[in-house]
């Protein structure tokens, strides 16, 4: 989806509305707009679904894939709002069933804002993992390699694993109380290698649960039927579904507070053409989640998964390493280290922009809500 | 070191040169008054030269004897601590500096060993390996010492001198316009402010004397390429410390959803906490944290700003999101003062925020807070407008009993009397809406001759609000069936407004002209009241034939009776009316009395023949006394009053 595609679509609606407003056949034109919009949606999600499972770049659920998903979300949001609000009389928005559907949409929007904030925080944890992995990489890349480097790498990797497997039910408050920096640490030699601890605070209310939010967002979310399917309730449904879906993916991919039961069924109407790929992505992530959920994990983000796998393998290596080591084994490890370094590099490039994009989505949701409220409350049309 | 490598001698003749150089270096090393840097260079050079010698020796089979000896020596120094249960820095400065020296030595040995070519020399490889392992052991230990040090001193430096928000917070104006009707509004509310006490207030998050120790660890860890480990450990402890401070400020971690649904009273408390936390977190903790990062890490390039951002980020996001939630919420009029507090706090801090996060990595923090400031500015404007709308649209179904000062008047006047404290902010934010309002408020003060204080945007908005209040009061006065009571009500409320303006900071914004005009207004209502109530009563005493000397007894009796009935009727009605202001009440009683008693006395005086108890129900004194019992707000019956008077 390029910028020009979108501006031409928005231009189309704007011109159409201006020209045809008073004429007959207005409804037909609207149906046509909606169909074009759904066609574009379908294409965009098909592209996302077709991402390879394992690839150095652009893999399914990778950082760049999620950035793409957020781009799609931002586009859809703009276009959906254009269909709903552009050049439209406010009276149309405030009559049934929209007088019920729009406030429901806005409640979802508010919940989505909290999810965006939780995800922004979750990215911080991923960045912490990146820093630890970078330490391991720099130790493992040392030439000549010896036990000192192996121990250095191991320490970082062990910290990495414990940071990754942080229980998402655990709140920072408990964590702080439980952990002690142990002044009496010298008494037992074992816990001397406590690793690099980074306090993990979700910065949200204690009772807040990501999966409950998603569940609440799906309430009353049903595809419009019959004649409603081709008029204003349709874009409201599309926008709602996309918001819920994108938030659901964010929670599945990025560490987040309380995610048990995330496989909640999203009410995707599979009888409509445009949702085919969306449902495909939903199923694929759902499957993946089921496989991993029990183990307790940092999320389905491709880079994190990769990091976890490589990390574990490298811990095994550092455990059994004895100077000077076999050449064959060292070559094998060198390949893994290169791979881990590549993952770190992609995180280094992608995580901050991802965080910014999530923040942008957040601000977009805020604006979206204000615009709808303006229409609802002041009865003035939004241009 | 590369140059040194190429300098490894090939001939015996060169060997002598190396040996001579070595001697010179050793001799120089014994000189007492050498600078630290120079001594270090000599030690390095010494190590290097001895390596070259031993490298040559090894060809003869002896091996790196001297290097190995040195390695063994430092190994003992480092390994001995591994089994010790006491932290090195807790043991004493001597132990700490010895340890650091040992680590330096390991690093020097490693550098030298690395500097030599690795031509299949097994011994050299082995030594390097041993040294690297030793270095790792030491680094791991230093990291531990660092964490221990930071945690130990973090807890000791818990600031106790910062006053809590509860001791600072003044009476909060929590009442809303909508919820009041016939309920008295709270009198005073004061700006929640502590800007003077705690502007930029840098504290020692870690005691001054510990900083050199932390720095010494940083120095050696960075020199050995363990900078990342140092940063992770440092960030970990400091981040947690900051979050603990944040928790102490009692910031409930609330979702946006929670905040949007929150009752006004709790929300107001949260808004106060935010204002307070922003001042403490940015003005005190982050300022101090930044200094600490600069002190400890300033020498190592850009890591100090990286670490600072990592430490601060989550706490900042938390504060930011609260601000966003408030800025997006519905802007009800009662939020205005708290929003102004939030806006002013952030506006004051924005320069500090820009300075704290001046590097590239922090640009998003700067950007977000500037965005939030704009959002809060819009919120203030929206709440201000909502306040204006609420003032003009506050409706009542029933007349306010007694015609006293309406709660709306009290609420509005008390509320706006807080505005002068926010004068410069309001002037700034209301500037763009200024011209509309200025033209609406047709007070002469807005003209070209006006003084600065009466023509500023806030002044015009204030007068626009009071003029909305006036028109609303006029609407409310129409609910009284009794025209006289309408005048009492308006007189009371206008008088109240004037008093509030005169007795507060509002005065310069309204100006003397406004006060004169409004004095005249309530005096007009006072006169109207007298006219409407008493003119007809006094008229009953008027002689139709002023020419004749006296009235007939029956006419006199008739007139007396008529007057009594009319007077009692008024009395019965009006004792329940209320003029809360004692001065105003007194004035009105006097002027009423002048008019009525005077007329009555004249009437009786002109007909002395007919004056007897049978004819006259009320004496002049009775009437006078009864009139002075009016407007107390408590209904009285005439019988009670009479009895009371007789006793």
């Amino acid at each position: 989806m390029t910028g020009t595609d979108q501006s031409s679509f928005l231009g189309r609606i704007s011109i159409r509305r201006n020209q045809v407003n008073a004429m007959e056949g207005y409804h037909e034109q609207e149906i046509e707009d909606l169909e074009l919009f759904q066609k574009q949606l379908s294409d965009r999600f098909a592209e996302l679904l077709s991402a390879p499972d394992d690839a150095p770049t652009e893999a399914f659920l990778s950082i760049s894939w999620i950035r793409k998903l957020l781009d799609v979300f931002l586009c859809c949001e703009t276009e959906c709002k254009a269909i709903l609000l552009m050049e439209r009389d406010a009276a149309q928005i405030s009559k049934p069933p929209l007088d019920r559907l729009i406030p429901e949409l806005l409640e979802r929007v508010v919940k989505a804002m909290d999810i965006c904030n939780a995800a922004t925080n979750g990215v911080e944890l991923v960045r912490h993992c990146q820093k630890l992995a970078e330490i391991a990489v720099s130790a493992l890349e040392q030439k000549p390699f010896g036990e000192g480097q192996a121990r250095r790498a191991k320490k970082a990797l062990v910290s990495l694993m414990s940071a990754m497997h942080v229980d998402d039910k655990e709140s920072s408050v408990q964590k702080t109380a439980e952990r002690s920096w142990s002044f009496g640490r010298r008494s037992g030699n074992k816990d001397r290698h406590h690793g690099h601890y980074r306090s993990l605070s979700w910065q949200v209310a204690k009772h807040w649960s990501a999966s409950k939010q998603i569940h609440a967002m799906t309430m009353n979310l049903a595809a419009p039927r019959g004649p409603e399917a081709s008029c204003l309730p349709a874009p409201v449904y599309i926008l709602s579904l996309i918001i819920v879906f994108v938030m659901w993916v964010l929670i599945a991919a990025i560490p987040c507070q309380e995610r048990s039961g995330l496989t909640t069924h999203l009410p995707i109407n599979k009888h409509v053409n445009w949702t085919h790929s969306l449902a495909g992505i939903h199923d694929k992530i759902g499957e993946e989640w089921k496989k991993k959920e029990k183990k307790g994990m940092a999320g389905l983000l491709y880079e994190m998964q990769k990091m976890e796998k490589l990390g574990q393998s490298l811990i095994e290596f550092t455990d059994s390493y004895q100077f000077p080591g076999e050449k064959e084994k060292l070559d094998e490890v060198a390949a893994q280290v290169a791979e881990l370094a590549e993952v770190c590099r992609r995180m280094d490039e992608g995580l901050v922009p991802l965080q910014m994009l999530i923040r942008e989505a957040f601000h977009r949701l805020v604006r979206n809500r204000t615009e709808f409220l303006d229409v609802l409350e002041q009865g003035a049309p939004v241009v | 070191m590369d140059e040194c490598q190429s300098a490894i001698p090939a001939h015996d003749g060169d060997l002598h040169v190396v040996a001579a150089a070595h001697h010179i270096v050793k001799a120089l090393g014994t000189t007492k008054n050498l600078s630290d840097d120079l001594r270090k260079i000599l030690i390095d050079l010494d190590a290097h030269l001895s390596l070259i010698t031993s490298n040559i020796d090894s060809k003869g089979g002896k091996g790196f004897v001297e290097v190995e000896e040195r390695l063994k020596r430092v190994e003992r120094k480092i390994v001995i601590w591994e089994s010790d249960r006491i932290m090195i820095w807790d043991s004493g400065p001597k132990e700490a500096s010895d340890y650091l020296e040992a680590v330096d030595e390991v690093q020097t040995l490693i550098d030298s060993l690395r500097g030599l070519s690795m031509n299949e020399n097994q011994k050299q490889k082995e030594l390097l390996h041993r040294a690297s392992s030793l270095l790792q052991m030491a680094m791991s230990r230093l990291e531990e010492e660092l964490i221990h040090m930071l945690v130990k001193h973090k807890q000791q430096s818990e600031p106790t001198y910062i006053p809590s928000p509860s001791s600072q917070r003044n009476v909060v104006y929590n009442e809303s316009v909508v919820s009041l009707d016939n309920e008295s509004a709270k009198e005073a509310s004061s700006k929640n402010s502590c800007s003077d006490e705690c502007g930029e207030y840098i504290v020692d998050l870690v005691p001054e004397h510990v900083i050199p120790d932390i720095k010494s660890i940083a120095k050696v860890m960075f020199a050995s390429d363990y900078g990342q480990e140092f940063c992770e450990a440092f960030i970990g402890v400091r981040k947690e410390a900051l979050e603990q401070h944040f928790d102490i400020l009692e910031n409930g971690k609330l979702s946006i959803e929670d905040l949007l649904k929150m009752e006004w009273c709790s929300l107001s408390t949260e808004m106060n906490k935010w204002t307070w936390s922003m001042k403490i977190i940015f003005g005190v903790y982050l300022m101090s944290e930044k200094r600490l990062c600069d002190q400890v890490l300033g020498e190592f390039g850009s890591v100090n700003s990286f670490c600072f951002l990592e430490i601060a980020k989550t706490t900042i996001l938390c504060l930011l999101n609260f601000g966003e939630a408030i800025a997006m919420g519905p802007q009800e009029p009662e939020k205005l003062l708290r929003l102004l507090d939030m806006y002013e706090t952030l506006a004051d801090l924005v320069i500090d925020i820009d300075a704290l996060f001046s590097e590239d990595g922090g640009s998003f923090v700067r950007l977000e807070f500037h965005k939030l400031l704009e959002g809060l500015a819009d919120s203030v404007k929206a709440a201000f407008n909502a306040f204006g709308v609420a003032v003009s649209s506050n409706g009542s179904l029933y007349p306010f009993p007694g015609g006293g000062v309406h709660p709306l008047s009290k609420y509005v006047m008390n509320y706006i009397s807080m505005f002068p404290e926010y004068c410069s902010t309001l002037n700034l934010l209301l500037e763009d809406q200024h011209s509309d309002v200025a033209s609406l408020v047709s007070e002469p003060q807005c003209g070209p001759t006006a003084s600065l204080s009466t023509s500023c945007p806030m002044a015009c908005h204030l007068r626009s609000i009071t003029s909305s209040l006036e028109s609303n009061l006029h609407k409310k006065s129409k609910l009284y069936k009794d025209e006289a009571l309408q005048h009492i009500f308006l007189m009371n409320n206008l008088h109240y407004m004037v008093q509030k303006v005169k007795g507060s900071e509002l005065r310069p914004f309204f100006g003397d002209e406004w006060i004169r005009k409004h004095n005249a207004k309530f005096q007009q209502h006072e006169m109207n009241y007298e006219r409407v109530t008493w003119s007809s009563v006094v008229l009953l005493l008027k002689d139709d034939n002023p020419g004749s000397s006296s009235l007939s007894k029956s006419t006199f009796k008739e007139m007396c009776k008529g007057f009594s009935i009319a007077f009692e009727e008024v009395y019965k009605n009006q004792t329940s009316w209320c003029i809360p202001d004692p001065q105003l009440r007194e004035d009105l009683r006097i002027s009423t009395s002048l008019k009525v008693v005077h007329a009555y006395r004249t009437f009786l005086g002109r007909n002395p023949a007919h004056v007897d108890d049978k004819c006259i129900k009320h004496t002049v004194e009775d009437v006078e006394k009864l009139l002075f019992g009016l407007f107390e707000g408590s209904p009285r019956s005439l019988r009670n009053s009479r009895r009371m008077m007789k006793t």
Side-chain angles (χ1 to χ4, degrees):
Chain A
M1 173 75 194
T2 63
T4 27
D5 277 347
Q6 183 170 47
S7 52
S8 68
F9 179 77
L10 296 179
R12 186 188 141 95
I13 293 181
S14 166
I15 294 164
R16 174 83 44 75
R17 295 262 161 90
N18 279 325
Q19 288 174 341
V20 202
N21 227 342
M23 289 191 252
E24 282 179 33
Y26 178 51
H27 188 62
E28 282 70 28
Q29 299 289 356
E30 281 216 88
I31 292 176
E32 216 175 277
D33 287 342
L34 196 57
E35 271 169 8
L36 179 68
F37 173 56
Q38 291 181 348
K39 168 84 179 57
Q40 286 186 347
L41 275 179
S42 174
D43 291 349
R44 289 175 198 156
F45 282 106
E47 202 191 322
L48 285 166
L49 180 61
S50 69
D53 287 345
D54 194 7
T57 51
E58 313 269 299
F60 192 72
L61 278 173
S62 63
I63 296 169
S64 58
W65 187 87
I66 290 175
R67 282 168 66 184
K68 240 187 193 166
L69 175 76
L70 286 168
D71 280 336
V72 168
F73 165 70
L74 292 174
C75 287
C76 292
E77 196 266 348
T78 311
E79 288 163 10
C80 237
K81 225 165 47 196
I83 293 176
L84 274 166
L85 300 178
M86 201 186 267
E87 309 275 336
R88 194 181 291 281
D89 186 2
Q92 275 182 287
I93 297 293
S94 37
K95 67 184 181 196
L98 288 169
D99 61 339
R100 177 177 60 83
L101 294 175
I102 302 270
E104 278 175 8
L105 168 71
L106 295 186
E107 285 200 9
R108 287 183 195 112
V109 166
V110 170
K111 289 187 164 69
M113 291 177 201
D114 279 326
I115 292 177
C116 283
N117 285 337
T120 310
N121 246 307
V123 175
E124 283 299 299
L125 178 72
V126 179
R127 291 187 61 230
H128 178 51
C129 290
Q130 176 205 334
K131 295 288 165 214
L132 293 171
E134 280 171 357
I135 294 177
V137 167
S138 73
L140 290 163
E141 278 175 344
Q142 291 274 323
K143 294 270 184 303
F145 187 78
E147 278 166 29
Q149 278 78 25
R151 277 205 296 279
R152 184 183 182 186
K154 188 186 165 185
K155 187 174 172 180
L157 289 169
V158 168
S159 304
L160 172 64
M161 287 301 141
S162 63
M164 271 190 170
H165 291 98
V166 79
D167 189 348
D168 58 24
K169 290 187 187 80
E170 197 170 20
S171 83
S172 61
V173 188
Q174 288 165 317
K175 187 115 194 168
T176 313
E178 276 164 25
R179 205 198 68 256
S180 60
W181 285 103
S182 52
F183 301 114
R185 183 146 33 87
R186 312 289 305 166
S187 54
N189 232 6
K190 253 187 200 166
D191 49 359
R192 277 205 52 189
H193 298 284
H194 64 284
H196 313 270
Y197 178 77
R198 177 78 70 96
S199 78
L200 173 73
S201 39
W202 296 112
Q203 301 293 0
V204 274
K206 222 172 174 181
H207 61 267
W208 193 85
S209 148
S211 54
K212 274 192 197 137
Q213 294 297 300
I214 293 289
H215 186 74
M217 286 168 88
T218 59
M219 301 248 272
N220 296 330
L221 179 61
R225 287 158 191 269
E228 283 189 358
S230 61
C231 57
L232 286 177
V236 178
Y237 166 75
I238 293 173
L239 185 53
S240 288
L241 182 62
I242 289 175
I243 290 174
V244 179
F245 175 74
V246 171
M247 294 306 133
W248 179 81
V249 176
L250 276 185
I251 291 173
I254 295 165
C256 224
Q257 178 170 300
E258 213 340 77
R259 300 183 290 182
S260 51
L262 192 63
T263 42
T264 326
H265 166 73
L266 295 187
I268 302 170
N269 182 0
K270 295 183 186 173
H271 303 296
V272 192
N273 255 335
W274 74 270
T275 56
H276 278 325
S277 304
L278 190 100
I281 299 171
H282 178 236
D283 291 345
K284 204 167 155 182
I285 295 176
E287 285 299 306
E288 198 68 12
W289 184 265
K290 270 182 215 153
K291 269 191 263 169
K292 303 272 163 65
E293 189 177 19
K294 279 166 207 126
K295 285 199 271 174
M297 45 127 199
L300 296 177
L301 191 69
Y302 173 79
E303 282 81 0
M304 283 288 263
Q305 303 252 40
K306 194 105 188 161
M307 192 173 264
E308 187 181 9
K309 225 190 269 165
L310 291 165
Q312 248 148 15
S313 159
L314 289 169
I315 284 180
E316 276 166 37
F317 162 73
T318 53
D319 265 341
S320 59
Y321 174 79
Q322 274 183 326
F323 184 73
E326 302 153 35
K327 167 99 175 61
E328 221 168 277
K329 184 69 194 167
L330 287 175
D331 288 346
E332 189 191 315
V333 166
Q336 288 182 354
V337 172
E339 232 179 310
L340 188 58
E342 176 60 20
V343 171
C344 288
R345 200 187 55 75
R346 277 204 303 272
M347 284 186 168
D348 198 45
E349 280 173 7
L351 285 178
V352 173
L354 174 65
Q355 226 170 8
M356 297 298 111
L357 206 53
I358 296 174
R359 200 70 197 155
E360 194 184 332
F362 169 82
H363 285 300
R364 189 68 77 78
L365 289 165
V366 173
R367 214 162 58 221
N368 171 311
R369 181 171 170 276
T370 314
E371 284 170 5
F372 275 104
L373 283 178
D374 281 350
V375 175
L376 286 181
E377 282 168 15
Q378 294 167 12
V382 168
V383 182
Chain B
M1 283 294 166
D2 284 350
E3 287 166 29
C4 294
Q5 260 176 41
S6 61
I8 288 173
H11 306 291
D12 282 355
D14 295 342
L15 248 181
H16 292 301
V17 178
V18 172
H22 203 175
H23 277 298
I24 293 166
V25 168
K26 273 191 190 301
L28 282 173
T30 58
T31 315
K32 278 189 181 157
N33 40 5
L34 281 178
S35 75
D36 285 352
D37 284 347
L38 193 54
R39 193 180 297 278
K40 176 96 172 63
I41 292 168
L42 288 174
I43 291 169
D44 287 353
L45 200 53
D46 179 24
H48 195 71
L49 289 168
S50 58
L51 274 173
I52 294 171
T53 323
S54 46
N55 197 26
I56 297 157
D57 287 349
S58 71
K59 283 174 188 156
K62 276 191 188 165
F64 295 66
V65 182
E66 199 188 343
V67 178
E68 194 167 4
E69 275 310 309
R70 286 172 62 188
L71 189 59
K72 271 184 188 157
R73 273 202 302 278
V74 288
E75 217 162 25
R76 272 197 298 279
K77 283 187 193 169
I78 286 170
V79 173
I80 197 165
W81 283 103
E82 289 300 290
S83 53
D84 207 311
R85 296 176 176 228
I86 306 162
M87 300 307 282
I88 302 167
W89 265 261
D90 287 349
S91 309
K94 173 84 174 69
E95 282 77 0
S97 67
D98 280 355
Y99 194 81
L100 285 176
E101 218 168 83
V103 179
D104 259 345
E105 172 85 351
V106 181
Q107 190 56 50
T108 310
L109 287 171
I110 289 177
D111 286 347
S112 307
L113 285 164
R114 281 225 185 101
L116 295 171
S117 57
M118 293 281 180
N119 301 328
E120 303 296 314
N121 192 321
Q122 206 50 49
K123 187 71 190 170
Q124 184 195 351
K125 271 188 187 167
E126 200 191 299
L127 284 175
L128 181 57
H129 176 240
R130 259 172 70 187
S132 305
S133 293
L134 195 59
L135 187 69
Q136 164 61 23
M137 187 185 283
M139 288 297 140
S140 195
R141 176 64 193 236
L142 285 175
E143 189 188 326
E144 218 179 300
E145 295 280 339
L146 169 73
I147 290 170
H148 172 78
M149 203 182 287
L150 285 171
V151 171
K152 183 175 149 192
H153 295 291
K154 163 194 96 177
Q155 286 169 341
Q156 286 174 353
S157 70
E158 209 66 81
T160 50
Y161 41 80
I162 293 165
S164 78
S166 47
S167 68
Q168 280 289 324
R169 204 177 303 138
N170 298 306
V171 189
V172 178
Y173 215 84
N174 275 336
E175 214 161 320
S176 79
V177 174
V178 255
S179 74
L180 62 89
D181 205 25
N182 303 347
E183 195 188 308
S184 75
K186 269 179 221 160
E187 276 300 311
S189 144
S190 183
K191 188 177 178 180
N192 175 37
S193 153
C194 70
S195 47
D196 298 324
E197 299 89 285
C198 59
E200 289 159 33
Y201 197 45
I202 297 182
V203 296
D204 287 334
L205 295 171
V206 166
E208 197 66 42
H209 69 90
V210 187
I211 306 275
D213 291 342
I214 299 173
K215 264 174 96 166
S216 65
I217 296 180
K219 217 168 184 170
V220 67
M221 285 183 79
F222 273 88
S224 307
D225 209 14
Y226 276 68
Q228 284 164 295
E229 272 98 335
F230 181 91
C231 290
E232 284 305 307
F234 185 77
I235 292 166
V237 183
R238 293 309 314 157
K239 183 171 183 279
E240 195 180 68
L242 183 64
E243 279 162 17
Q244 276 169 5
H245 291 310
F246 188 58
D247 285 342
I248 290 167
L249 293 170
E250 295 171 48
N251 290 279
K253 285 172 184 164
L254 296 159
S255 64
I256 293 174
E257 199 183 1
D258 292 339
L259 284 170
L260 289 176
K261 286 179 184 161
M262 194 175 265
E263 296 270 325
W264 166 235
C265 268
S266 327
L267 189 63
S268 166
T269 311
E270 292 299 326
M271 287 164 90
N272 271 331
K273 277 189 206 162
W274 185 87
T275 305
W276 181 255
S277 300
M278 283 293 284
K279 285 174 181 160
I280 300 291
I281 293 289
F282 279 99
V284 181
Y285 286 122
L286 289 182
M287 282 286 180
S288 312
E289 198 72 56
K290 176 80 173 168
R291 190 185 64 169
L292 179 65
C293 286
D294 289 346
Q295 280 175 333
V296 173
L297 296 161
E299 298 166 26
F300 309 106
S302 63
V303 279
N304 56 340
S305 58
F306 164 77
C307 287
F308 174 67
L309 186 61
E310 291 294 303
I311 291 166
K313 210 168 179 181
T314 44
T315 302
I316 286 176
L317 278 173
C318 221
L319 286 166
L320 193 61
N321 287 331
F322 180 90
E324 296 281 357
I326 295 301
M328 78 175 77
Q331 304 316 349
E332 289 112 351
E334 61 269 25
K335 283 189 188 163
L336 183 55
L337 293 183
R338 293 289 81 83
L339 283 168
L340 277 165
D341 282 337
M342 286 178 72
Y343 175 85
E344 287 194 341
T345 303
L346 184 55
D348 285 347
L349 286 170
V350 146
I351 301 166
D352 291 342
I353 293 174
D354 285 351
L356 282 171
F357 300 97
S358 55
E359 278 87 3
D360 278 355
S363 64
F364 98 97
V365 177
R366 278 180 277 144
L367 214 70
E368 289 281 341
F369 277 103
H370 280 274
K371 247 191 245 174
L372 179 59
L373 189 65
E374 277 171 39
L376 287 174
D378 291 341
S379 298
V380 168
K381 289 181 212 166
F384 197 95
N385 291 336
F387 179 64
V389 171
V391 171
S392 55
S393 66
N394 172 275
S396 319
L397 289 174
Y398 306 102
F400 182 64
V405 179
H406 196 274
L408 182 69
S409 308
K410 290 186 184 169
Y411 178 83
V412 171
M413 294 313 291
N414 283 324
Y415 206 77
I416 64 172
S417 66
M418 307 305 308
F419 291 0
E421 286 192 55
Y422 301 92
C423 178
S424 54
T425 301
L426 281 171
N427 276 338
L428 184 76
L429 296 180
L430 299 173
E431 185 77 68
D432 47 343
Q433 304 165 357
H434 180 201
S435 52
D436 310 348
V437 175
S439 61
L440 279 176
V441 189
S442 54
E443 304 284 335
Q445 288 91 340
C446 276
T449 55
S451 72
L452 207 62
S453 62
T454 52
S455 63
C456 69
M458 187 184 84
C460 291
H461 276 86
L462 282 175
R463 289 195 301 272
S464 145
I465 286 170
T466 53
S467 95
S468 299
L469 176 61
E470 275 177 61
S471 23
N472 192 334
L473 289 169
H474 273 280
K475 253 192 291 172
K476 288 195 192 315
S477 75
K478 297 287 178 261
L479 294 167
Y480 297 107
K481 287 191 193 106
D482 193 330
E483 198 196 336
L485 189 49
Q486 292 180 4
H487 290 299
I488 290 288
F489 175 74
L490 288 171
M491 177 194 74
N492 272 329
N493 283 279
L494 286 165
H495 176 262
Y496 179 81
M497 287 166 71
V498 173
Q499 289 308 109
K500 273 285 164 184
V501 167
K502 275 161 80 178
S504 70
E505 298 292 311
L506 290 170
R507 187 176 187 138
F509 299 99
F510 280 80
D512 292 342
E513 182 62 31
W514 185 93
I515 293 172
R516 254 198 303 283
K517 217 169 148 185
H518 283 75
N519 270 330
K521 274 189 187 177
F522 83 75
Q523 280 157 5
Q524 184 62 48
H525 285 296
E526 197 177 341
M527 272 144 66
N528 287 347
Y529 157 77
E530 284 177 24
R531 182 178 51 75
V532 171
T533 303
W534 298 109
S535 292
S536 57
V537 179
V538 172
L539 212 59
L540 292 172
L541 302 173
K542 202 175 170 196
D543 193 349
D544 283 340
N545 305 304
S548 62
S549 61
S550 68
L551 296 161
S552 69
K553 175 124 184 169
S554 64
T555 317
F556 176 78
K557 212 173 165 179
E558 202 59 35
M559 285 174 80
C560 264
K561 199 179 167 193
F563 173 77
S564 291
I565 291 169
F567 180 80
E568 284 171 20
E569 186 64 27
V570 170
Y571 184 82
K572 207 171 72 196
N573 271 337
Q574 301 196 354
T575 46
S576 65
W577 295 6
C578 173
I579 301 177
D581 185 79
Q583 189 59 48
L584 185 63
R585 190 165 61 221
E586 205 54 30
D587 288 353
L588 189 59
R589 281 169 180 170
I590 290 168
S591 85
T592 307
S593 161
L594 275 178
K595 190 172 183 177
V596 178
V597 175
H598 175 73
Y600 195 40
R601 184 176 283 134
T602 315
F603 172 70
L604 293 182
R606 285 228 309 266
N607 301 286
H610 307 312
V611 179
D612 62 53
D613 268 3
K614 272 180 202 161
C615 282
I616 300 166
K617 208 171 168 186
H618 304 293
T619 64
V620 173
E621 288 71 32
D622 284 348
V623 169
E624 204 165 359
K625 277 182 181 161
L626 285 170
L627 282 175
F628 273 77
L630 284 180
F631 310 122
E632 296 280 4
S634 49
R636 285 185 215 163
S637 79
L638 203 58
R639 199 165 301 151
N640 289 343
S641 308
R642 281 178 74 91
R643 207 175 297 136
M644 203 178 68
M645 279 190 285
K646 293 244 161 87
T647 54

